[in-house]
Amino acid sequence: RDNPKKFKEAVQDSLRRHAAAINKLTEKKGMHFFDYGNAFLVECFRANAEIMQDDSGLAPEDGGKFRYDSYVQAIMGDVFSLGFGPFRWVCCSGDPADLATTDQIAADVFEELMAKSNEKARQQYMDNLKWIREAGKNKMVVGSEARILYSNCEGRSRLALEFNKAVRDGRLKGMVVLSRDHHDVSGTDSPYRETSNITDGSMFCADMAIQNVLGDAARGATWVSIHNGGGCGWGEVINGGFGMVLDGTADADRRCENMLHWDVCNGVSRRSWAGNDNAMMTIREEMAREAKLQVTMPTFAQQELLEKHCAKPPVAGCDLVLTNCNVATMGVGEGGWVGVPYGLIEDGVVGVKDGKVAFVGKRGEGDSDSVVAACENVKDLEGKLVTPGLIDCHTHVIYGGDRSKEWELKLGGASYEEVAKAGGGIVNTVKGTREATVEDLIEQASPRLESMLKEGVTTIEIKSGYGLEEKSERNMLLAAAGVEKKYKVKVQKTFLGAHAVPTEYKGRPDEYMTACIEMLEAIAKEGVIDCVDCFTESIGFTVEQTERLFSKAKEMGIRVRLHGDQLNDFGGGDLASKYDALSCDHCEYSGKDAIDKMSEKNVVAVLLPTANYFINETKMPEVEYMRTKTVDMAIATNCNPGSSPCCSILLVMNMACTRFKMSPEEALKGVTINAAKAIGLDSEIGSLEVGKRADICVWSASTPCELSYYMGLNLLSECYVDGVLRE
């Protein structure tokens, strides 16, 4: 109690020892083992015990298979699909004679129904008839003069009506209360027990119990209940229950017929939709028996048509195959790595054809051997790590001039905001940028770019924003296009004319925004703008001014991004969500309401730890809340002359973990798939999935977390852009 963490560790150690003993007994001694269903198998998996059929690491909900069955699969078989489950009743008089009377009624009803049932249902009736005939002799009382008996839909309805009739005519001295075990046909969603033999993937849905309770309540149950955790632990099962009082009235007859029919048929229908033959047979019989019941029956495609028209085509000879490597795919797909951390495939194979990923899989499985055999250019990577090419999704890497002197001022105590208001900051770089030609800008940026490329960056976003007038803004974007030609790197070009108000417009920000919109219209015609950004801050532009720019961009069909909430809660997250922005960048001061809206609109939060560090910001982004709200988090260098002169994406990964408390997996996502989302290219890059561009990094590392662990150590071994090795 005083140390729950230690207690959990001790329990998991015990589970690992239990699993090892079970494996030894089944493998060496021939013992047959099944899980009663109280989440033993899944908790063994969570304790990293050897309990799965293979070592893929897949959780049960992601397709992983246990070595052993639950007892529903191994012992009970398919009785739930036949509509049979544990039906209960209690004689409220407390008189054993009343219980004996109900036993005889049940035996008479079962004898009648057994004679006209199908063969599978008849066997169930025979077993339960023997049980009920001997229950009194064997003193099989469950609780207070209560009984439990397996029955199907017709049997339950008939028993209820006969019991109610017996109350009415005085054969029973008191009322009868009907119920059932939660371990039943319809009342429980439990993927490790009651629904473990529903094999179409819906075993993990939790809607049947809720539907059952609502339907029972509407159709005449005296009371209903819904509860979490019965038998298998909180969060692993949902149970629905009911109680119905039989008081001998005609109204009780009506409620019996209406409710008990639904209570069973709901679960049988669910199993029929999953393709269960017994359930389909049972529900057809029920529809024939009850004209009001109408259930949509599943339709199955012909197997030969599926094989003919949907079969996966064989992978043609690849231009390049990487093998004997650990592949952090960072995606989800058909390779058996859905839900695995980093999308990791140990001992993997990656095939490249025509600049795109043609195959990803585990060596020795699926088509991997044929992919390797059909390629003349196979590289054995000797256990190295493979990841998607890294993406730096927020940079200002192209600019003129130098800001190192300004840094000295900041070291002397001046804040980022104070320096800007004194005429420094962004405006301080404008003079050098305006004086530079396109060629000058490329040359000055080259050392910074080359440093980034050496760490595996294959795609980079480059913003304008230091020209602040049409000619210079155009030159910056042309220089960005020139970088793409000079280096083997993809460049996403972002117009950031609204980065600051230039000195010639000082005190007239609305006028400058008008000029900025005119710049956008003129430069966009030259095809060098992929996105539009704005610095919305106390030292930048207001929300209203930003909306003018974003409205124009939207009108022109250009996606937007936002510098938001870096220094103040300025409504950046709200604004980004309103305009369906690709991202909101910085986000230190983004509040929970803004994060909620970002989550709703799938706005990526681009976090910039080196800028946060460099300006000595004490406020950190709400990473934990973003994580809770499943906001995609990207990270980037924010390489710029004033607040983040950082040219190392690997350092950014480390600082995201140490400063922002992101996990190494989140950090790698932040420079791969989530970074791709932040620039609107996640359908093309960001993960190693078939059909995406073959931007690939090979690292002299065995695990992905090493990329975030080191500071100053570059483990890059090889880098491929569109499947071609970058020298």
Side-chain angles (χ1 to χ4, degrees), residues 355-357 459 484 490 681 683-689 691-696 722-723:
K356 294 187 177 182
V357 177
T459 299
E484 192 164 25
K490 299 176 181 69
L681 295 178
S683 64
E684 301 178 30
I685 57 175
S687 60
L688 296 177
E689 298 180 79
K692 288 192 173 184
R693 292 184 178 183
D695 293 349
I696 301 169
D722 292 331

Side-chain angles (χ1 to χ4, degrees), residues 275-583:
N276 183 287
D277 290 333
N278 285 334
M280 288 189 286
M281 174 193 71
T282 301
I283 205 65
R284 285 192 179 101
E285 289 183 351
E286 284 300 320
M287 285 193 286
R289 191 174 68 85
E290 174 50 71
K292 293 180 181 179
L293 177 65
Q294 295 185 30
V295 177
T296 302
M297 300 302 293
T299 300
F300 300 99
Q302 297 178 23
Q303 188 62 33
E304 58 269 24
L305 291 178
L306 288 173
E307 293 173 356
K308 178 180 179 180
H309 297 290
C310 302
K312 186 170 62 176
V315 180
C318 291
D319 304 320
L320 168 69
V321 170
L322 306 176
T323 187
N324 189 15
C325 52
N326 296 322
V327 186
T329 63
M330 309 311 294
V332 295
E334 298 178 355
W337 24 275
V338 179
V340 178
Y342 301 97
L344 188 67
I345 304 175
E346 295 180 341
D347 194 13
V349 174
V350 179
V352 177
K353 177 74 173 177
D354 297 328
K356 294 187 177 182
V357 177
F359 178 83
V360 184
K362 190 174 180 66
R363 188 163 59 160
E365 295 184 3
D367 295 330
S368 62
D369 290 343
S370 61
V371 169
V372 173
C375 182
E376 297 180 359
N377 184 20
V378 178
K379 286 194 174 184
D380 185 337
L381 295 182
E382 301 178 342
K384 291 178 180 177
L385 174 69
V386 170
T387 71
L390 305 189
I391 302 166
D392 198 344
C393 66
H394 181 126
T395 84
H396 308 258
V397 70
I398 289 177
Y399 57 86
D402 176 69
R403 296 264 288 278
S404 58
K405 297 279 186 187
E406 186 180 301
W407 180 55
E408 283 189 301
L409 290 175
K410 293 176 183 175
L411 291 176
S415 72
Y416 178 49
E417 191 168 1
E418 288 168 344
V419 169
K421 287 184 175 179
I426 295 167
V427 177
N428 205 28
T429 306
V430 172
K431 183 175 182 293
T433 302
R434 288 181 174 181
E435 291 174 351
T437 64
V438 172
E439 292 74 20
D440 292 336
L441 291 171
I442 294 174
E443 183 179 351
Q444 291 179 48
S446 290
R448 299 187 285 270
L449 285 159
E450 289 167 6
S451 176
M452 295 172 170
L453 302 188
K454 287 176 182 177
E455 291 189 348
V457 171
T458 55
T459 299
I460 185 170
E461 186 258 11
I462 299 177
K463 303 178 191 293
S464 67
Y466 292 123
L468 306 184
E469 50 90 24
E470 185 178 324
K471 178 183 176 183
S472 300
E473 288 291 303
R474 178 185 288 106
N475 282 351
M476 291 187 73
L477 293 165
L478 290 172
V483 163
E484 192 164 25
K485 294 178 182 178
K486 181 177 180 179
Y487 299 102
K488 286 185 177 179
V489 64
K490 299 176 181 69
V491 176
Q492 183 83 343
K493 300 170 285 295
T494 299
F495 173 72
L496 184 58
H499 200 186
V501 179
T503 53
E504 62 268 29
Y505 282 91
K506 189 173 183 179
R508 297 180 292 134
D510 287 324
E511 289 183 42
Y512 178 66
M513 182 55 74
T514 299
C516 195
I517 292 171
E518 292 172 353
M519 275 189 256
L520 170 62
E521 291 178 306
I523 300 172
K525 295 176 183 177
E526 300 180 37
V528 290
I529 296 177
D530 300 312
C531 200
V532 171
D533 199 345
C534 185
F535 185 42
T536 306
E537 254 303 344
S538 57
I539 58 173
F541 295 90
T542 66
V543 170
E544 292 75 17
Q545 290 160 352
T546 304
E547 289 199 272
R548 290 178 57 200
L549 178 65
F550 281 7
S551 294
K552 174 54 68 173
K554 188 173 183 179
E555 179 186 314
M556 298 171 66
I558 303 175
R559 296 296 301 272
V560 299
R561 301 180 64 186
L562 183 73
H563 280 63
D565 301 338
Q566 178 185 9
L567 307 173
N568 305 277
D569 186 355
F570 215 64
D574 292 347
L575 182 60
S577 302
K578 179 178 179 179
Y579 283 88
D580 295 317
L582 290 167
S583 69

Side-chain angles (χ1 to χ4, degrees), residues 565-721:
D565 301 338
Q566 178 185 9
L567 307 173
N568 305 277
D569 186 355
F570 215 64
D574 292 347
L575 182 60
S577 302
K578 179 178 179 179
Y579 283 88
D580 295 317
L582 290 167
S583 69
C584 182
D585 302 31
H586 287 288
C587 299
E588 278 89 343
Y589 286 85
S590 293
K592 290 184 177 180
D593 288 344
I595 293 170
D596 288 343
K597 291 179 181 177
M598 291 169 65
S599 175
E600 291 172 10
K601 290 299 188 76
N602 296 317
V603 177
V604 178
V606 177
L607 310 182
L608 306 169
T610 51
N612 182 281
Y613 159 80
F614 195 77
I615 67 172
N616 292 316
E617 177 60 67
T618 58
K619 181 74 169 68
M620 306 295 162
E622 296 279 356
V623 167
E624 179 57 36
Y625 191 70
M626 291 179 184
R627 187 181 291 131
T628 300
K629 302 301 292 187
T630 64
V631 172
D632 290 320
M633 295 179 285
I635 56 176
T637 62
N638 190 24
C639 178
N640 74 75
S643 64
S644 181
C646 175
C647 302
S648 172
I649 196 72
L650 296 178
L651 177 61
V652 170
M653 293 171 67
N654 175 273
M655 292 185 71
C657 296
T658 56
R659 193 167 178 85
F660 288 171
K661 309 304 181 187
M662 295 173 70
S663 69
E665 182 182 9
E666 288 172 330
L668 188 53
K669 282 184 177 179
V671 296
T672 54
I673 186 61
N674 287 350
K677 291 178 181 179
I679 58 176
L681 295 178
D682 52 300
S683 64
E684 301 178 30
I685 57 175
S687 60
L688 296 177
E689 298 180 79
V690 173
K692 288 192 173 184
R693 292 184 178 183
D695 293 349
I696 301 169
C697 289
V698 179
W699 308 88
S700 297
S702 56
T703 62
C705 71
E706 292 180 60
L707 304 185
S708 297
Y709 171 71
Y710 286 106
M711 293 184 289
L713 178 60
N714 184 1
L715 298 173
L716 186 68
S717 174
E718 296 176 349
C719 183
Y720 297 84
V721 179

